[in-house]
Structure formats: C-alpha cells, structure tokens
Amino acid sequence: MALLEVRNLQARVEDKEILRGLDLTVKAGEVHAIMGPNGSGKSTLSYVLAGKSDYEVTGGTATLEGEDLLELEPDERAAKGLFLAFQYPIEIPGVASMTFLRTAVNAVRKKRGDEELSTPDFLRFVREKAKELNIHQDMLKRPVNVGFSGGEKKRNEILQMSLLEPKMCVLDETDSGLDIDALKIVADGVNRLRAKNRGFLVITHYQRLLDHIVPDVVHVMAKGKIVRTGGPELAHELEAKGYAAYENAA
Amino acid sequence: MNAEVKMMRTAAETQYADALGSLPATGAIRDLRAKALSDFIEKGLPHRRVEEWKYTDLRVLMREMAPLADRPDASAIAEAKKNGVLANIGAREITFVNGAFAAELSNLKGLEKGLSISTLADALAKDPMLPQLLAGLNPSKYDAVYALNTAALNEGVVIDVAAGAQITKPIHIRHIVTGTKPVSVFGRVFVKAGKKSQATIVQSHSGPDAVAYQTNTVLQLSVADDAELDVVRVQAEGDKAIHLSMMIGAAGAKSRFRSFTLTTGASVSRHTVPFAFAGKDIRASISGATLLRHKQHADMTLEVDHALPGGESRELFKTVLDDETKGVFQGLIIVRPDAQKTDGRMMSAALLLGESAEMDNKPELEIFADDVQCAHGATTGALDDDLMFYLRARGIPKKEAESLLIQSFFGEAIEQIENEKIRDAVMLRAGKWLAERSVK
Ligand SMILES: Nc1ncnc2c1ncn2[C@@H]1O[C@H](COP(=O)(O)OP(=O)(O)O)[C@@H](O)[C@H]1O
Ligand SMILES: [Mg+2]
C-alpha cells in the first residue's frame, strides 16, 4: 500500500479553482520532489493535505496508509503521521517555544498510544535534535518563531519535524530564503530522517535543494495538476530550461 | 415648574436607605456615614444616562439589595477556612468572613518592624484623624458605590507601613463569603505606605457559586513620596454574585506603584480605579486580566489623573470573553496643565471567543499640557485562524491550541506582577479557568 495516495484531487479557495485533478503516489521510503512555477498550487496542495480550513476540497481523495485524510482534523492528521513544514512559518507571540514543542510532542505521543515524555527526557530529546540542526538554546527560550531570522524559522520547522517523528513529511519551499550553509544544515536534517518507513514530498522552486536531498521521483506541477513525472534528471532540465513551457501547457 | 424628572426610587435604593439608615451609629465616623447616606438617598444608583455608568446600568442590574449579612458563626468560619483563594503565596493573611473581621483566620502576630495592622474600629479609636485621611481619598464626584460603602462603614482594616519600612512578606486581605443565602457585605481597606517604604498587598474576594450575594468593597491607598507599593487583587466571587469595588489611590513624588487585578468571578462586577499622580516623577502601572464566561458582565473603569510633571503611567488590560459575556473597559488619562513630560500609555485588548460576546472599549485622553507623550489603544479580535492552524498542524488538539493562545493573550498582563509566587498563583487560577472551558 502506498504511504500517500492522492487521486483526482480538486480544491478551491474563495471560489477560485486551484487544484484541478491532481494525482500523486508516494511509497514509504521514497522522496518525491514537486517543482513548478509560482502560483501553480504547490502550497495549496500542502495546505489541503494538512487540513487548512480556508481550502475547500471539491473532489477526489487523499489517503495516508489507506486512511482518508480529508475527513480528519488537522491535529488528527498530524497524529497519524502527516507533517507539513510551512513555506512561511508564523510567529506566535506569548507562546514559549519549549511549551509549544512539549505540548505538540506529548499530544501526538498520546494519540499514537505512546507514553508522554517526562520533563528531563523531553529536554534531552529537544537538546539533541536542536544541536543537530545548529539551533541555539537561546532561540528556544523565545516565543515560537518570534524574532527568528528566515533561516532560523526554517530550521525550527525541521526541528519540529524531527521531534514529531512523522511518516509523511511535506516540505513547502523549505529552501527559500536560506543561504548555502543553512541549506546544508536543513538538508542534512532531512537526510537524517530518511528511512524506509517514511516518505517525503519536497516542494521547491529550485533544483539546488535537490543536490542535497536527492529525490527518487520529480514531478512538475502546473495549473493545479501534475503535468510531468521523471527522475532526478528532470530537475536539472527544469533548472536549464525554466518553467515557461509549463506555464502555457496545462 | 422643575424640569428635571425625578426618578422613581428602585426597590434596591429603598432597601439600602432603610438598611443602612438603621445601622447603629458609631463615634468618629457617624458624620461621614450620615453624609454618605444622605448623598445616596438624594442621588441613588447610577443608570445608563450617567456617563461613567453607561455600559453598566446598576439600576437595572441590581434590582434588590440583599439583606445585610449576620456576624459569622462557627460554621461560617469553618466554611471560610476551607474556601479562600491564593493560599500558597507565603503571605500574612487578614481575613473577613461575610464582611466581619475573623480574628481566628487572621495573623496579626509578630508584625514586622514598622508595620501596623488594625481593624478599622481599633484604628478609629486610636487615631482621631483617620476619618479625615479616608475622606482625603474620596472620589472627585459622587459615586454610588463609594457612598454606599461609606454609609455602611463599620468593618475594615487599616495597614500602616512606617516610613522606610521594607515589608517583604506580602499582606493578603481575604474577603470570604459563606452560606447559601444572598447577603450584602461591605469592606474597607486603607493602606498607608509611608515615605520610602515598600510593601505588597494582595486582596482576594471569593464566595459560593449559585448564591446572589453582593459585595461592596473599597480599597484606599495613600502612597507617600519615594514609596514602592504593589497591589494584586483577585476577584473570584461566586458566579451569581454582584461585586462592586473601587481602588482609590494617591501617590506622592517619585513613588512607584504597581497594581494588577484578575477578574474571574461574579455575574456582574464593576471595578473603578481613580488614581491620582499627586507628586512629581511617579511611575505607576495599573493592569489586569478579566476572564469571562456564561453571561458574566464585568466593567473596569480607570481614571488616571496626572497633576504634576514627569509621571509615567502604564495601563494594560486584557479581557477574554467567552459565551455571551459582556466586558467594559473605560480608561481615562487626564494630564493637567502642570503635568509636563507625562508619559502615559494605556492599552485594552479584548479576545472574543463567544459569538455573542461583546466588548465595549472606551479609552479617552484629556490633555491640558503641551509637552507630553500619551497614547492609548483598544483592540477587539477573535483567535487567529492561522495561529490555530499552525498549532493544530503540530498535533495539538483544538482545545489545547486555544488554551495556548488564550494564555499567551492574558499572560502578557499577568507578567506585570512583580512577585513571582503571586504571579504563579494568579497564573494558576487563570489556568484553572482555561481548563474548565468547554470548546465549541
Ligand atoms: N488563501 C488564498 N486566498 C486567495 N487565493 C489564494 C489563497 N491561497 C492561494 N491562492 C491562489 O492560489 C493560487 C496558487 O497558490 P499557491 O498554492 O500558493 O501556489 P504556489 O505555492 O505554487 O506558488 C495562486 O493564484 C494564489 O494567488
Ligand atoms: Mg508556495
């Protein structure tokens, strides 16, 4: 059974059709990349999978390990193992990072039937993962994402991903706004999580991220659909030729 | 012919006039009381055409006066013993049960050097000037709550912190109501903080749910030059109570004053704060968090009056309104002609959780000096959908996600409390309110 199975997915926001019959299958252990011009609906796909309420699904299905995702609340999807690293992580003033992380980790552990982590165990866990991602303890003393640079916000997304131990990771332009060092840290973080029971959907505009996170499959998305699928070489072709052909295609 | 329409007396007005008029008169405060009662009889309870009471029409909200409470018996004391709030803040406790001083539940032993605490009756017997001192902190114009409180003046406590005394242990004045019958209770607390003194006063109000009792309580604060005074109030009355309160303060030069009020109780409450900057270079912070549910109505009304130069005032109020609640914030900053270089900032933010909840925000500035910095703001909003989605996308269920955001909202105000133990205790109470919330 596929890990993530999306069939003929259609969705709109504010009466605007954005996803127009999208098909996608990600098997456990695979890394898929989605590339495509701005406005093609990549973020919309990630939001629809994660359950953002502004997006109305008008047709099709999406399942995680055979279970209907679209029926579930966003937190239930996260507990089932779906994780979205946001393109634009938002600041949450007044909510301490550690409180947030601990609430999230224990909420999903509880839903998955695991024991909640004790305070010392949790702190050890966070420290270890934060260190791998070069996230300073001072950052974690601040409210969630408040005063973080663009790169720090993206690293914080990967930290959350590491802590929540998802099955299916969707990364929405995690590379945007990162310099090359930060990009490497993020890519290493993702690569460490690659596992045979875990799948990735890496949304990116540029192939440079894919030099570090080498995908098994590359898709091109245009006007709300997957219009082409190939191997890693497809990313290089797009880098060379641009998206012009696809902006008119679909 | 007299064009002014004389309003009919309400049942409550008549009951107040009768009940307070028949209280036994006592020595020094006899005149004070008689004057207050005749003011009340003339002017009565406020209604919506009285500007300051526009959003809290007491004539309508308080139709009847509950009978005066009896002196607490042994069972009332036993009940009160179990029921106070903020028990673990390491404070010296002074307790009133149903309005009466309860020596059994008060600790007046081993008072720190420079600290004197007396019941109002004892203080009046000792100090013939006291009535004048109290009257020196009268509100500038007629206020029915104050008039009634003064007309009923009998029980209370006078806390005198001598010049230079540093009292580190907080003094917690507890007003506990007991029983199942609606009663009226009155209380008066007078704090005199001497020059260069330092003290922390906590005042809490609590009582049984489902009993329509009525509290009328006045806290008067005289803060001398260079003194530092912290006040934390917790209004956790029972859910059917009416709570009418005032905190009247006057601060002297270079004093530092901080106050915080947590409001979670009562079906109807009104807290009025007239605060006078009566010296130069005073720094004062007046803040609060109000958490409302079901059909509660809570009114917070401030009048911060800068008379002399160099004052700094900070007012931060957070109101969380669930269900069908109504919140009122009226905040007036006055800067008089001599109060140059005043720096006043006032903010009232409301978070609407219930679809039929309502907030009336009325911030006002009256500035008569030209070299000042004053700002006020008022916001009303719902929980942010994007923030909620972010939290829920991390596996945090709806109620917990809401709690995190609500807590961050009111937390900013609770953070203003200086004393860590008290701050934690207040946060805990606010957390309890959150835990009891049901999500829709
Ligand atoms: N919340 C929204 N409200 C209105 N239009 C939206 C919203 N989200 C996305 N869109 C529109 O949907 C289209 C696809 O956007 P998006 O999914 O962000 O594309 P991509 O991530 O591929 O750049 C764009 O035309 C965008 O303007
Ligand atoms: Mg996008």
Side-chain angles (χ1 to χ4, degrees), chain B residues 324-395:
Chain B
E324 297 163 51
T325 52
K326 181 173 159 122
V328 179
F329 176 83
Q330 306 184 100
L332 170 63
I333 301 181
I334 303 171
V335 181
R336 299 197 183 274
D338 287 341
Q340 299 294 0
K341 307 265 183 227
T342 290
D343 173 359
R345 255 170 258 172
M346 181 163 65
M347 179 68 198
S348 163
L351 178 60
L352 295 178
L353 300 174
E355 274 173 29
S356 356
E358 181 190 323
M359 181 75 193
D360 291 301
N361 253 323
K362 200 177 102 187
E364 282 179 287
L365 296 173
E366 276 180 22
I367 300 180
F368 305 99
D370 44 29
D371 184 15
V372 301
Q373 264 197 335
C374 283
H376 64 57
T379 61
T380 301
L383 285 174
D384 185 300
D385 287 339
D386 290 337
L387 294 178
M388 278 299 292
F389 178 61
Y390 190 87
L391 295 172
R392 298 189 68 192
R394 296 300 175 248

Side-chain angles (χ1 to χ4, degrees), chain A:
Chain A
M1 189 204 319
L3 181 59
L4 178 71
E5 182 93 57
V6 179
R7 284 286 155 263
N8 192 27
L9 189 61
Q10 297 149 56
R12 66 175 167 209
V13 56
E14 291 173 358
D15 289 336
K16 196 171 153 193
E17 297 293 336
I18 301 189
L19 300 185
R20 303 158 191 245
L22 185 136
D23 293 286
L24 180 71
T25 303
V26 179
K27 296 205 192 82
E30 290 180 349
V31 174
H32 288 229
I34 292 190
M35 305 182 75
N38 274 329
S40 55
K42 303 184 299 294
S43 291
T44 300
L45 171 64
S46 72
Y47 284 144
V48 167
L49 292 177
K52 196 168 201 279
S53 59
D54 324 3
Y55 297 82
E56 189 196 346
V57 175
T58 51
T61 58
T63 57
L64 184 70
E65 293 186 310
E67 193 168 352
D68 185 0
L69 269 182
L70 304 177
E71 282 294 299
L72 302 176
E73 295 291 322
D75 47 290
E76 293 169 329
R77 299 181 196 199
K80 290 271 181 259
L82 184 83
F83 184 91
L84 166 61
F86 286 81
Q87 182 173 2
Y88 303 109
I90 49 176
E91 303 190 357
I92 316 185
V95 177
S97 287
M98 289 305 248
T99 307
F100 161 67
L101 293 175
R102 183 151 189 217
T103 309
V105 167
N106 281 333
V108 300
R109 288 184 71 93
K110 206 167 137 193
K111 274 262 179 65
R112 290 174 191 166
D114 297 333
E115 238 178 89
E116 295 191 10
L117 290 181
S118 69
T119 304
D121 285 347
F122 170 75
L123 290 175
R124 219 171 292 131
F125 188 31
V126 174
R127 268 194 216 115
E128 178 201 332
K129 299 291 175 194
K131 199 170 166 206
E132 287 173 359
L133 290 161
N134 205 8
I135 290 175
H136 205 266
Q137 289 300 311
D138 285 349
M139 248 171 83
L140 298 176
K141 289 191 181 127
R142 280 183 254 157
V144 183
N145 290 328
V146 174
F148 289 21
S149 69
E152 286 174 333
K153 283 180 183 162
K154 296 298 177 76
R155 273 185 276 149
N156 196 23
E157 294 292 289
I158 304 304
L159 173 65
Q160 292 164 39
M161 187 164 91
S162 319
L163 294 173
L164 294 177
E165 301 175 324
K167 290 182 184 140
M168 180 69 220
C169 307
V170 180
L171 286 80
D172 190 2
E173 300 211 19
T174 299
D175 52 335
S176 65
L178 294 187
D179 60 29
I180 188 68
D181 294 334
L183 186 76
K184 277 200 186 121
I185 293 169
V186 164
D188 288 349
V190 172
N191 287 330
R192 261 194 299 277
L193 289 171
R194 288 180 79 151
K196 61 177 189 303
N197 59 352
R198 188 173 277 148
F200 288 84
L201 188 61
V202 180
I203 297 172
T204 181
H205 200 66
Y206 307 101
Q207 71 84 33
R208 94 181 161 149
L209 177 68
L210 305 181
D211 289 342
H212 301 277
I213 306 173
V214 180
D216 301 297
V217 184
V218 175
H219 307 274
V220 181
M221 184 166 174
K223 301 204 171 126
K225 282 184 183 176
I226 301 295
V227 294
R228 201 173 152 199
T229 296
E233 73 289 346
L234 184 50
H236 291 276
E237 182 191 319
L238 288 167
E239 182 77 1
K241 296 192 184 159
Y243 294 110
Y246 300 99
E247 294 190 77
N248 309 321

